[in-house]
C-alpha cells in the first residue's frame, strides 16, 4: 500500500524504532513526505537539499499542526465535531 500512496504524513516520532522507522522509505520515490514533528528526524529525508522535491518539514507539535492542516483544507468544523464526539477529553481543548 505504501508504494501507492499519494502523500505520506509522518507525525510525532523519533524514527529510531524499527521496523516503523523504515516505513518512511516504503513510499514511492515520487511520493511527497510531510514530517510533522518538533524536530527534524530521519536520515532519509532531504529537507535542506537543493535537489529536494518531496520532503517537507513542519516544525510543530502534532495537535497544533493537525488543527492547522484541517483549517487550511476547510475541514476545521468537521474535525472539531469528530474530536468532541470521539472522546470525553477533547484533544484540541488546549490549542
Amino acid at each position: 500500500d505504501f508504494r501507492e500512496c499519494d502523500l505520506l504524513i509522518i507525525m510525532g516520532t523519533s524514527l529510531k524504532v524499527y521496523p516503523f522507522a523504515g516505513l518512511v522509505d516504503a513510499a514511492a520515490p515520487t511520493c511527497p513526505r510531510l514530517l510533522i514533528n518538533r524536530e527534524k528526524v530521519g536520515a532519509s529525508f532531504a529537507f535542506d537539499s537543493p535537489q529536494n522535491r518531496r520532503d517537507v518539514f513542519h516544525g510543530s507539535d502534532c495537535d497544533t499542526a493537525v488543527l492547522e492542516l484541517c483549517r487550511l483544507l476547510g475541514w476545521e468544523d468537521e474535525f472539531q465535531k469528530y474530536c468532541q464526539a470521539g472522546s470525553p477529553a477533547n484533544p484540541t481543548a488546549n490549542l
Side-chain angles (χ1 to χ4, degrees):
D1 291 346
F2 274 85
R3 300 294 292 171
E4 297 176 21
C5 70
D6 296 320
L7 170 66
L8 183 60
I9 300 175
I10 306 101
M11 298 180 3
T13 179
S14 67
L15 289 177
K16 292 182 179 179
V17 178
Y18 284 84
F20 178 77
L23 294 176
V24 298
D25 297 320
T30 56
C31 177
R33 302 182 300 180
L34 170 61
L35 175 64
I36 298 171
N37 211 30
R38 290 187 176 136
E39 57 191 36
K40 292 179 183 178
V41 295
S44 68
F45 291 107
F47 301 120
D48 301 318
S49 169
Q51 291 80 29
N52 178 25
R53 299 287 182 260
R54 74 182 214 151
D55 294 332
V56 176
F57 174 69
H58 182 84
S60 175
D61 64 88
C62 294
D63 289 346
T64 302
V66 168
L67 185 57
E68 181 180 347
L69 184 59
C70 287
R71 277 189 201 127
L72 291 169
L73 294 169
W75 300 343
E76 185 176 12
D77 291 341
E78 184 178 348
F79 178 70
Q80 290 291 349
K81 288 176 190 174
Y82 176 80
C83 289
Q84 291 169 357
S87 170
N90 184 346
T92 61
N94 295 324
L95 301 179

